Amino acid sequence: MPSVIDQISQRRKVGKISHGQSPLRMKPEGKDTALAFRTIRDLHELETLRSIWKSWPGTRDSDIDFFSGSVLSRGSRCRPHVIVLTRDARPDAMLIGLRERRKMPLRFGYFTVCQPEVNVLEFVYGGLRGNASEENTAAFVRQVIRSLDEGDADLALWEPLDIESPLYNCVIQLPHFALRDHSRCLDVHWIMNFPKGLDGLFMSLARSQRSKLRRKYKKVISSFAGTAKVRCFRSLADLDLAISDMDEIANRTDKRLLLGVGVSNTRQIREQMVVAARKEWLRIYILYLDEKPAAFWVGTLYDRCLQADHVGYDPVWSKFSPGLYLFLHILEDLREQDIKIVDFGYKDVQFKRCFCTLRRIESRVQIYAPTLRGLLLNLLGTATQRATDCTRFLFRRTHCLDWVRRALRRQVLRQRCKHCRIAASNPGLCDDPRAGHGGG
């Protein structure tokens, strides 16, 4: 395969690039009087588009109020970057994004190798509203490349795109080879048609699955007669209590104990909940067993889509499958609502395989600026991702992955035991029912 330098040399010969023009930069196209762009970089200016914005259907993340709240929650280093495409002087489509100065973690597996500070153009999930024709999507991508040429950012990032969509194809094909994303990771987006209550769900499953689910559901009811309760939080007034109980559960999850990751009470997450509560989209469900928070489900109900954002459960209650019980309760509680689908998000787990009726392959994708910094970021991102992929492949071939998983489980158990010993000596610090019993 020819090197980048060879490709650039060939382009100079074929394209007759003038002296001093970067071969990685986009050539200006012929002027099309019918097509024009307007880029909005101020939150107040977004209000001039509210009527046309709301008239075009889209995702919750691209809703004007949710998007504005997301920009505000990220602080002074973030501003809108909304590109409006007009055809014959009329708005025809828009690409909704933001520009932010932030650290970009480059990871080897779960470990962060480095975190360079970069300027990012980030386009939200479902951020293309209006006429999503192939011509328009190609025009948007060329406009983004032009913005990178002009120094607006070091890279442009699209939140997961359907790999069969015209936008995805344009993002991976239109940039110069050296500026394309070579570290894309495909992921499965899981979606379920909303059933009308538990009976509707059970009847859609195989007999063995149906029997298993009913046993698990009844086990919680029989084991915690009168003490298994589910609360739904929807208003701003209830938000502090809900977040406090969710934090209590999240602090005991395996991811938090071992890796320090998982849902947390950050400014961005809180602001998103505040916006959702004000718009009456917010749905927070928390399961309490023996009057202690055991599992939570956080999401929104937007445009007939019940979208799950954060879920978690306390491993203390794992034998009762509290997360499953809570989800089944949610389906029953919302059975009279006008809901079409449930969006489970990503991660391939057995729970989703059982329930979901639609799987869509998606991928985050990036375009890098035609600068030395952009090329280095692309090189580092590709190298760390390839190293991670190779390590996982070797672990699977040599059966080391099982050993790593066992080691991680032992580490989690040690963390839990340590947590329980602290709780036993200071009962006020923790309500873990295992405290003082050797973590068993």
Side-chain angles (χ1 to χ4, degrees):
M1 178 181 289
S3 66
V4 173
I5 295 175
D6 293 336
Q7 293 183 44
I8 293 172
S9 300
Q10 185 65 22
R11 279 196 168 197
R12 287 185 182 275
K13 294 175 183 177
V14 175
K16 297 182 181 180
I17 299 174
S18 62
H19 181 72
Q21 178 185 356
S22 169
L24 300 181
R25 297 187 185 275
M26 190 171 187
K27 298 179 185 178
E29 299 177 349
K31 187 175 181 180
D32 184 354
T33 55
L35 197 67
F37 294 96
R38 172 188 172 198
T39 301
I40 298 178
R41 298 179 171 89
D42 182 76
L43 274 174
H44 298 293
E45 196 177 349
L46 293 182
E47 289 299 321
T48 63
L49 295 172
R50 178 173 287 273
S51 59
I52 188 68
W53 192 317
K54 300 290 283 187
S55 70
W56 289 330
T59 63
R60 179 206 62 184
D61 291 5
S62 66
D63 179 89
I64 185 171
D65 296 304
F66 193 87
F67 172 74
S68 299
S70 179
V71 172
L72 284 171
S73 70
R74 301 191 187 205
S76 59
R77 307 180 88 184
C78 182
R79 61 165 172 77
H81 192 93
V82 178
I83 306 172
V84 182
L85 183 151
T86 59
R87 192 181 299 277
D88 296 324
R90 295 182 178 180
D92 195 44
M94 65 171 62
L95 185 61
I96 302 161
L98 52 87
R99 180 191 182 277
E100 184 181 20
R101 178 77 175 175
R102 68 182 188 220
K103 291 184 178 180
M104 176 182 169
L106 298 171
R107 294 189 175 94
F108 174 67
Y110 283 111
F111 304 101
T112 301
V113 178
C114 60
Q115 297 188 76
E117 197 167 77
V118 298
N119 294 317
V120 181
L121 291 180
E122 178 184 327
F123 297 100
V124 301
Y125 184 78
L128 178 56
R129 288 195 171 209
N131 180 8
S133 66
E134 291 188 17
E135 182 183 1
N136 282 359
T137 55
F140 273 127
V141 173
R142 291 191 180 99
Q143 182 65 17
V144 171
I145 295 174
R146 201 168 289 117
S147 295
L148 295 174
D149 285 350
E150 294 168 358
D152 273 359
D154 299 309
L155 72 151
L157 163 67
W158 275 264
E159 290 300 334
L161 297 174
D162 185 342
I163 63 170
E164 295 183 357
S165 67
L167 181 56
Y168 178 84
N169 290 328
C170 288
V171 173
I172 64 173
Q173 293 175 6
L174 291 182
H176 185 280
F177 179 83
L179 307 178
R180 296 176 191 169
D181 188 350
H182 301 287
S183 57
R184 301 186 302 275
C185 294
L186 303 183
D187 208 348
V188 181
H189 193 162
W190 300 88
I191 296 172
M192 179 182 82
N193 291 327
F194 188 79
K196 291 302 180 182
L198 290 184
D199 292 338
L201 174 66
F202 289 151
M203 293 307 296
S204 67
L205 302 175
R207 179 178 295 180
S208 59
Q209 290 179 323
R210 186 162 61 237
S211 176
K212 187 176 180 180
L213 282 179
R214 281 182 170 143
R215 282 198 309 270
K216 289 186 175 183
Y217 188 74
K218 291 178 180 178
K219 182 177 181 180
V220 174
I221 296 174
S222 60
S223 300
F224 300 93
T227 61
K229 298 179 181 179
V230 176
R231 284 194 62 183
C232 179
F233 302 85
R234 298 175 57 176
S235 68
L236 281 173
D238 294 332
L239 205 52
D240 287 337
L241 176 59
I243 290 175
S244 174
D245 287 348
M246 287 191 295
D247 273 344
E248 186 176 336
I249 297 170
N251 287 332
R252 297 174 182 173
T253 60
D254 293 348
K255 284 187 176 182
R256 180 68 63 83
L257 289 172
L258 184 62
L259 302 170
V261 299
V263 60
S264 56
N265 185 16
T266 64
R267 178 184 175 184
Q268 185 176 347
I269 290 177
R270 177 179 280 271
E271 182 63 30
Q272 288 176 349
M273 291 183 184
V274 168
V275 172
R278 286 175 178 163
K279 303 296 290 184
E280 299 184 351
W281 304 334
L282 184 65
R283 300 293 185 274
I284 299 177
Y285 287 88
I286 300 181
L287 169 65
Y288 297 86
L289 299 177
D290 287 340
E291 299 184 356
K292 300 178 179 66
F296 66 84
W297 188 98
V298 183
T300 56
L301 181 53
Y302 177 86
D303 194 22
R304 302 181 68 196
C305 173
L306 182 64
Q307 180 168 332
D309 291 317
H310 310 288
V311 296
Y313 69 92
D314 188 339
V316 168
W317 310 103
S318 58
K319 69 177 181 179
F320 297 102
S321 303
L324 177 62
Y325 174 86
L326 179 59
F327 177 68
L328 295 177
H329 179 93
I330 293 170
L331 293 183
E332 185 67 18
D333 184 61
L334 298 175
R335 63 181 301 168
E336 301 301 327
Q337 298 287 319
D338 184 20
I339 302 174
K340 183 178 180 181
I341 58 172
V342 181
D343 186 340
F344 284 101
Y346 304 90
K347 295 183 181 177
D348 187 355
V349 294
Q350 185 63 32
F351 173 83
K352 297 175 184 178
R353 286 180 175 272
C354 290
F355 294 149
C356 291
T357 51
L358 174 63
R359 294 187 298 174
R360 191 164 59 223
I361 307 300
E362 298 180 349
S363 175
R364 296 179 77 191
V365 62
Q366 301 170 146
I367 300 176
Y368 294 86
T371 61
L372 179 59
R373 184 175 179 80
L375 292 171
L376 287 175
L377 287 172
N378 196 359
L379 180 62
L380 286 171
T382 303
T384 52
Q385 184 59 49
R386 291 288 183 268
T388 299
D389 293 343
C390 288
T391 303
R392 285 175 179 163
F393 175 77
L394 289 174
F395 276 7
R396 289 192 185 100
R397 290 297 297 269
T398 59
H399 304 290
C400 289
L401 195 58
D402 293 336
W403 177 85
V404 172
R405 286 171 177 163
R406 287 194 297 270
L408 290 175
R409 290 192 191 103
R410 286 194 296 269
Q411 180 65 18
V412 169
L413 288 174
R414 282 195 291 269
Q415 292 287 345
R416 287 181 187 168
C417 291
K418 180 180 178 182
H419 177 77
C420 291
R421 285 195 297 271
I422 294 173
S425 58
N426 300 277
L429 294 180
C430 176
D431 292 326
D432 192 330
R434 297 176 308 175
H437 297 280

